[in-house]
Amino acid sequence: HNGFKGEETASRAPYKQNAALLKGRDYDMYDDENLCAVARFCERGNSVWNYIEEGGEEANKIAIEEACACPSGRLTVVDKKGKVIEPKLEQGISATQDPAKNVRGPLWVKGGIEIEGADGATYEVRNRVTLCRCGESSNMPFCDATHLNCPHMKGQDK
């Protein structure tokens, strides 16, 4: 009744193929903007991008915390040998809320749960992704933060 559109438009290419690589002083970071759900964990203080470039013990700590807090998996920190730094997440699916914007957010899929498309093919299994629940994402089935402007996503789940 709200016009949900579920046509899948997301690339099936692996994450690293779609992500830009930002070279930092001590760590590097992959960034796939198409996956951004605008959870805003990446903008604490000086922003994760600046912390990665800056390097140093405190900046590295904050950059890793911020990237690992990204529910969509848009941001992934890797050490200089290419080892991915990921939080340990139990498998689960949660509906997210954005109280600051007073909207219902995406579904947060964590812990490496397989996402299967309508055609039966699977997307790359990742530790954390966000799935659209407003039906308006241009990167379906993944969230692209369109929910922030969807009138039917206003308010909080009860």
Side-chain angles (χ1 to χ4, degrees):
H1 70 278
N2 67 7
F4 184 93
K5 299 177 199 109
E7 297 86 21
E8 295 169 24
T9 55
S11 168
R12 300 240 185 202
Y15 167 78
K16 286 183 181 178
Q17 187 174 321
N18 289 326
L21 178 62
L22 173 65
K23 296 273 193 179
R25 189 182 97 184
D26 304 318
Y27 291 91
D28 298 332
M29 184 173 70
Y30 286 99
D31 180 356
D32 183 352
E33 287 186 66
N34 293 318
L35 298 176
C36 186
V38 187
R40 298 180 300 282
F41 291 104
C42 57
E43 296 177 346
R44 181 177 77 175
N46 195 26
S47 95
V48 67
W49 298 272
N50 291 330
Y51 288 125
I52 284 290
E53 286 182 350
E54 178 183 322
E57 187 175 340
E58 186 62 21
N60 292 337
K61 178 179 178 261
I62 295 169
I64 290 168
E65 286 173 2
E66 288 185 5
C68 286
C70 176
S72 70
R74 168 190 173 171
L75 304 171
T76 304
V77 173
V78 295
D79 69 17
K80 290 296 185 177
K81 294 179 181 176
K83 181 181 178 220
V84 176
I85 299 168
E86 276 287 317
K88 297 238 187 274
L89 300 173
E90 288 188 34
Q91 285 191 330
I93 301 172
S94 307
T96 65
Q97 306 290 323
D98 189 339
K101 299 289 185 182
N102 192 34
V103 295
R104 292 183 295 277
L107 297 174
W108 184 25
V109 180
K110 50 198 172 281
I113 295 175
E114 186 175 80
I115 308 295
E116 182 178 307
D119 62 0
T122 58
Y123 291 88
E124 178 183 28
V125 175
R126 303 213 38 239
N127 187 41
R128 51 202 162 101
V129 298
T130 51
L131 299 179
C132 174
R133 71 170 168 155
C134 74
E136 300 293 327
S137 174
S138 61
N139 193 35
M140 291 292 275
F142 304 106
C143 177
D144 70 355
T146 303
H147 61 275
L148 295 172
N149 299 313
C150 287
H152 59 273
M153 295 301 285
K154 294 293 179 197
Q156 303 296 303
D157 288 328
K158 299 188 181 0

